[in-house]
Amino acid sequence: MLAFIWAEDSQHGIGYQGQLPWHMPADMKFFKETTMGNTIVAGSKTFATFKRPLPKRKNIVLTSQDAQNFPADVIVCHSVEEVLAQYKQNPDQKMFILGGAQLFRDFLPYATDLYRTTIEHEFEIDTYMPEVDYSHFILSDFVEGEVDEKNHYPYHFEHYTRVEPQE
Ligand SMILES: NC(=O)c1ccc[n+]([C@@H]2O[C@H](COP(=O)([O-])OP(=O)(O)OC[C@H]3O[C@@H](n4cnc5c(N)ncnc54)[C@H](OP(=O)(O)O)[C@@H]3O)[C@@H](O)[C@H]2O)c1
């Protein structure tokens, strides 16, 4: 499985000033549980938002920078093809593309699954999710999130699965 996992607001916004535009612990928990034990792939700017490689996951970063700029336990890739080669080495693995926008654009033809969290609110945004043609996917799971004192906005989780063979 080569999956996307992301959260977007009601305008498909995903980022603001290099960070997530919201604080939604329930989505962080979902992200952690879904990616744990698997491979994660981040663009260098998204990777920079983590203080360190995410524990108990194989961390891949996509960058044009020298590998020495990243921690030793991170796999540094310099092209989409290099990441896909990592995936093809073991297609039974679960590989999650974490973003940002350029990675979502570049990997979309290869994505088998999409894990989308929608936060039903309009935030201040400077980074958007590229357009996804959902007609290539079926909705295989939908869960309404619980609004509480820590998660202030209505939100829901969706899992889409590709209906035709990916590239
Ligand atoms: N809501 C969400 O689920 C979510 C998910 C992810 C990110 N975000 C947000 O989105 C923002 C960051 O996203 P972003 O789109 O600005 O940046 P990004 O995709 O995380 O990082 C961009 C960088 O990735 C590297 N890169 C991308 N494609 C490459 C390629 N084909 N070959 C080599 N290197 C490549 C380049 O790094 P170098 O410059 O090092 O060469 C590029 O500058 C932040 O605000 C973050 O919080 C939100």
Side-chain angles (χ1 to χ4, degrees):
M1 179 173 90
L2 201 165
F4 283 12
I5 186 165
W6 81 99
E8 63 180 40
D9 80 349
S10 48
Q11 303 292 314
H12 308 294
I14 62 167
Y16 184 62
Q17 296 188 339
Q19 297 297 328
L20 288 177
W22 47 76
H23 178 65
M24 293 286 283
D27 186 51
M28 300 305 286
K29 182 167 177 277
F30 174 77
F31 172 86
K32 187 175 172 186
E33 287 171 357
T34 309
T35 59
M36 193 52 76
N38 298 305
T39 302
I40 52 174
V41 183
S44 69
K45 290 181 186 160
T46 296
F47 185 77
T49 68
F50 314 145
K51 305 278 177 294
R52 59 200 163 111
L54 297 184
K56 299 185 184 150
R57 280 151 280 194
K58 182 166 151 186
N59 285 241
I60 297 179
V61 65
L62 184 55
T63 181
S64 60
Q65 296 173 50
D66 199 284
Q68 286 176 348
N69 293 351
F70 297 90
D73 51 350
V74 169
I75 297 169
V76 175
C77 288
H78 292 113
S79 66
V80 172
E81 292 68 30
E82 229 181 290
V83 176
L84 292 173
Q86 288 274 342
Y87 176 63
K88 283 172 187 157
Q89 271 178 19
N90 178 9
D92 292 336
Q93 71 181 308
K94 287 185 181 173
M95 180 180 269
F96 288 92
I97 305 295
L98 309 188
Q102 187 64 48
L103 274 79
F104 288 136
R105 202 170 286 119
D106 289 347
F107 284 98
L108 188 55
Y110 311 103
T112 63
D113 293 76
L114 309 173
Y115 290 89
R116 174 173 76 166
T117 305
T118 302
I119 301 164
E120 293 153 22
H121 186 80
E122 224 175 290
F123 293 87
E124 204 159 354
I125 296 291
D126 61 17
T127 309
Y128 288 86
M129 185 68 190
E131 195 175 336
V132 174
D133 182 353
Y134 287 94
S135 70
H136 296 302
F137 296 88
I138 51 159
L139 182 62
S140 45
D141 199 17
F142 180 99
V143 177
E144 193 72 52
E146 237 178 80
V147 176
D148 57 25
E149 69 282 358
K150 290 187 177 148
N151 300 278
H152 297 288
Y153 310 101
Y155 59 103
H156 57 264
F157 302 102
E158 290 161 314
H159 175 195
Y160 291 87
T161 311
R162 192 180 280 277
V163 286
E164 83 251 4
Q166 71 281 7
E167 281 181 27

